[in-house]
């Protein structure tokens, strides 16, 4: 698994065109949810956002299968569309997902739940399926009702605009953007003959669980519901769940997987999980690169922990520490703050066996200075922090960004 | 207990002069560690800071008693002076505390511990006591050795400058400042005839436990070591431990209590705890007001929780949430982010009984909007957030500040 950008489509020979993807197992960012067979998508401007930008997306699974799985926020305050989608996903089947930006429909009471239901009902009616076959995702400001007239007429527009080509997938990926500066898509064609595609949004509030991250993954593999569920959980656990920008956890986080079976090829469970992980890791990397105000792409790797869980705890503690994040924004390899953040984590740690390496330079060995800070070069955008605890064999990696003036600016001026 | 500023000394008639304190139980900020009988203090420029500012302080307990207690950081990465002071405090007696700014002496290995020991030894020699009677506190950059020649000659200067008046106490409070913009002192005279005084530093890295906060409390009450320890723990638990600026936890946090017994009056345990709490709350309030880059003084109160522990967990989660803190910096009463942060806390919470009130305006009732955000006025410096969980009788209050451009600026530019 790698969250690094692969194959810049403008320069790489394996670039895909239209609805095809490259025939090697390389993640392709020029296509998304419509890369696998059996899917159509659309993105339209429904008038939910005051700006008039695209704000409503639809992804339809034309089958023959309608297997689906989902992973949702663990926040106890869940948005109405999350409550709705969790409910309909109990049957592990979906024919469509409708997504809107411009409003989270969270903390909106029973009326908000009615709005989510009405949106699903409207989609179902247009597609000739049941409301129980339609998941709903929303993102935007918490605490305000959605402008339902705009949402419902937007559904009509989206159904009319549905298409199976790459342009339709891109339109959907664009319509779910909030503070994102770029649409986020990825796809991977497996040598066995099936494909995984996906789109996501999230450039802030991405956190311990999956905060305001909306992701729709699609595949044309033939998959049993139990396999789909297990593969999706395995993929999110090491990708979206390891992306921790500001430690906040949204009320709306949702990652959905829809499987059409249109390739006619049964995917081996471990191969499906691996492909979902590759696409998810790529989307997570795109989200980190587009983090609100971020100027650094930071990878925190902890090794030598008493357990993988301990390693993850230490990595998260360091990733969320405001003093570490501001130091890295200032390109200061301040390993002392990293050591202090690690030592504050509720995990086993011995200061005498603690090593900290930043961008390849061992700055702290055995809990004390090993080299001058100036030897680590942080002038670039990528920062690799490696913390060796010297206790056991546990390891984990977390992706984050820095805490910049831009972060403060966006989040103090923008109500989301 | 109140962390609010009391009696502006420039306008209040109860203002104290020199080494006396007002005779009512009002906290007085014009005096500090030398307010109780039996204490001398000094603050000098030892040359540890490159700026040439005062950087070494000494507080001496002339007795007759030498009872002492301490509370230290819970970070597993502890600075050398913390390890030293924890060790000498096992006997629950101290004759002096030497404190320096300009360097944390943390992550400095066995050599750093030797430096702390040598500093205590130097103080002990000058005062004619044992090194085991001397605690050491340091604050500043992690990972660098202290310039010991400067520290040791600074001790000589401090011993020569020792005085029992208010000016000497102020000099000590000034010498421990790092990014603080003001020295922080407080004192309270108990009607029974004994006094508590104190000084503190900390305007950043103040956190779950007590991060880089150095506090010395003094009293001339006659106190048994066990009583001193219990009273200090009770006071810090509801004051310094409830101040959470950025969620970070320092390697150097130390709160010490020295009791001279010079008043000849035995303090009742609960009265001593109450007085220590008042002085500590006042110092904590001063620290919040001086938080790095802070433009708001935020009080988060959680009521109706299943337990006090749950209330504290929710209050801390909200206090540390970057999205909440940036919204409040922008004077945006964004209760949705507060609800989301509360819902993410590992505590019992029912979104349907969640109320959020900001500066007296009930904005969210039963987990949904109760009033327009604009009705809450956040134009002033003080922000009161009240979260009612509607579950049980648990409550807790946490003090914090906002996340501003100033915070990012100070912490990205200043290596501490």
């Amino acid at each position: 698994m790698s969250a690094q950008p692969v194959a810049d489509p403008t320069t790489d020979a394996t670039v895909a065109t239209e609805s095809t993807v490259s025939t090697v197992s390389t993640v392709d960012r020029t296509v998304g949810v419509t890369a696998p067979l059996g899917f159509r998508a659309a993105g339209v401007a429904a008038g939910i956002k005051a700006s008039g930008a695209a704000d409503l997306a639809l992804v339809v699974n034309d089958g023959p299968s309608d297997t689906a799985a989902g992973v949702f926020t663990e926040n106890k305050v869940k948005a109405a569309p999350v409550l709705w989608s969790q409910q309909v996903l109990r049957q592990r089947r979906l024919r469509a997902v409708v997504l809107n930006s411009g409003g989270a429909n969270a903390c909106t009471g029973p009326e908000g739940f009615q709005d989510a239901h009405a949106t699903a009902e409207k989609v179902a009616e247009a597609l000739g399926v049941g409301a129980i076959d339609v998941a709903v995702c929303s993102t935007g400001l918490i605490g305000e009702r959605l402008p339902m007239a705009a949402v419902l007429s937007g559904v009509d527009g989206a159904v009319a605009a549905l298409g199976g080509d790459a342009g339709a997938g891109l339109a959907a990926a664009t319509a779910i953007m909030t503070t994102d500066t770029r649409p986020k898509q990825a796809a991977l064609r497996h040598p066995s003959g099936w494909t995984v595609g996906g789109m996501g949004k999230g450039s802030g509030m991405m956190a311990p669980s999956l905060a305001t991250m909306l992701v729709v993954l699609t595949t044309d593999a033939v998959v049993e519901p139990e396999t789909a569920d297990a593969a999706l959980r395995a993929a999110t656990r090491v990708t979206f769940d390891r992306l921790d920008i500001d430690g906040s956890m949204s009320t709306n986080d949702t990652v959905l997987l829809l499987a059409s079976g249109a390739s006619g090829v049964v995917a081996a469970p471990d191969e499906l999980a691996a492909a979902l992980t590759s696409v998810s890791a790529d989307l997570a990397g795109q989200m980190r690169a587009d983090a609100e105000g971020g100027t650094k792409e930071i990878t925190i790797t902890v090794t030598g922990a008493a357990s993988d869980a301990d390693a993850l705890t230490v990595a998260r503690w360091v990733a969320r520490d405001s003093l570490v994040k501001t130091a890295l924004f200032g390109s200061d390899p301040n390993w002392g703050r990293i050591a202090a953040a690690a030592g504050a984590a509720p995990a086993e740690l011995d200061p005498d066996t603690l090593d900290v390496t930043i961008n390849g330079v061992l700055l702290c060995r055995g809990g004390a200075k090993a080299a001058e800070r100036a030897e680590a070069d942080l002038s670039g955008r990528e920062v690799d922090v490696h913390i060796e605890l010297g206790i056991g064999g546990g390891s984990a990696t977390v992706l984050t960004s820095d805490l910049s003036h831009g972060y403060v600016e966006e989040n103090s001026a923008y109500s989301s």
Side-chain angles (χ1 to χ4, degrees), chain A:
Chain A
M1 159 203 151
S2 164
Q4 297 306 312
V6 292
D8 178 351
T10 60
T11 58
D12 193 291
T14 63
V15 59
T17 56
E18 281 294 281
S19 58
T20 68
V21 290
S22 56
T23 51
V24 293
S25 291
T26 307
V27 174
D28 179 353
R29 292 179 174 175
T30 63
V31 284
V33 290
T34 55
L37 299 172
F39 291 93
R40 287 178 297 154
V44 298
I48 307 166
K49 285 178 178 166
S51 68
D55 49 17
L56 190 134
L58 187 59
V59 178
V60 176
N61 178 0
D62 289 320
S65 169
D66 58 0
T67 293
V71 175
F72 299 91
T73 181
E74 288 172 12
N75 199 309
K76 285 175 278 293
V77 179
K78 289 177 173 60
V82 168
L83 297 172
W84 170 264
S85 297
Q86 283 185 316
Q87 195 168 305
V88 300
L89 255 174
R90 284 196 199 136
Q91 53 158 8
R92 295 187 168 179
R93 308 200 168 278
L94 285 178
R95 278 295 174 192
V97 186
V98 57
L99 312 93
N100 76 274
S101 52
N105 193 8
C107 296
T108 44
E111 295 82 3
F113 189 82
Q114 299 274 14
D115 290 344
H117 183 174
T119 307
E121 196 72 55
K122 174 77 176 173
V123 171
E125 196 179 297
L127 297 176
V129 299
I132 199 174
D133 301 315
V134 181
V136 181
C137 301
S138 300
T139 178
L141 183 66
I142 297 172
E144 300 286 343
R145 297 274 301 276
L146 288 172
M148 284 305 292
V151 170
L152 298 179
S153 77
V155 169
D156 284 331
V159 170
L162 281 169
D165 60 0
L170 180 61
T174 303
I176 58 175
M177 290 165 59
T178 54
T179 55
D180 307 67
T181 63
R182 294 183 286 276
K184 296 166 182 72
Q185 300 190 103
L188 186 148
R189 181 173 171 82
H190 194 270
S192 308
W194 47 268
T195 297
V196 168
M199 67 177 188
K201 66 80 48 179
S203 64
M205 292 185 75
M206 298 180 296
S209 294
L210 308 164
T212 301
M213 176 187 299
L214 300 183
V215 173
V216 178
L217 299 168
T218 55
T219 183
D220 51 17
V222 175
V223 192
E224 288 304 305
E226 291 68 25
T227 304
D229 187 71
L232 182 64
R233 287 179 195 284
T236 56
R237 198 172 53 79
V238 294
T239 57
F240 301 121
D241 199 34
R242 298 292 174 89
L243 180 63
D244 195 329
I245 300 302
D246 56 19
S248 299
M249 175 158 45
S250 159
T251 50
N252 289 61
D253 307 323
T254 304
V255 179
L256 298 174
L257 169 64
L258 282 67
S260 70
S263 70
V265 181
V266 176
D270 58 338
E271 291 181 348
L272 179 67
L276 288 173
T277 301
S278 293
V279 169
S280 298
D282 193 82
L283 288 170
Q286 291 182 53
M287 289 175 184
R288 177 180 61 169
D290 202 16
E292 282 175 355
T295 72
K296 302 285 186 189
E297 299 180 31
I298 303 165
T299 304
I300 314 267
T301 301
V302 175
T303 56
S307 65
D308 286 351
D310 260 19
L312 183 57
T313 298
V314 171
R316 282 205 196 289
W317 239 255
V318 174
R320 288 180 200 167
D321 189 274
S322 293
L323 291 165
V324 170
K325 292 163 91 81
T326 45
L328 296 180
F329 168 58
S331 296
D332 174 10
N334 195 323
W335 61 266
R337 290 185 181 177
I338 293 169
E348 196 180 325
L349 182 145
D350 177 355
D352 295 334
T353 60
L354 174 68
D355 297 345
V356 180
T357 301
I358 304 181
N359 280 1
V361 181
L362 180 68
L363 294 176
C364 166
R365 178 165 37 206
K369 179 167 146 179
E372 291 299 329
R373 293 211 309 280
E375 289 183 29
D377 178 12
L378 266 65
S379 59
R381 192 171 167 85
E382 294 197 5
V383 179
D384 281 303
V385 175
H386 176 207
I387 300 163
E388 164 64 43
L389 297 181
I391 294 172
S395 66
T397 295
V398 165
L399 309 184
T400 189
S401 67
D402 55 339
L403 177 51
S404 67
H405 285 303
Y407 179 91
V408 173
E409 191 62 31
E410 278 203 51
N411 288 301
S412 57
Y414 167 83
S415 278
S416 70

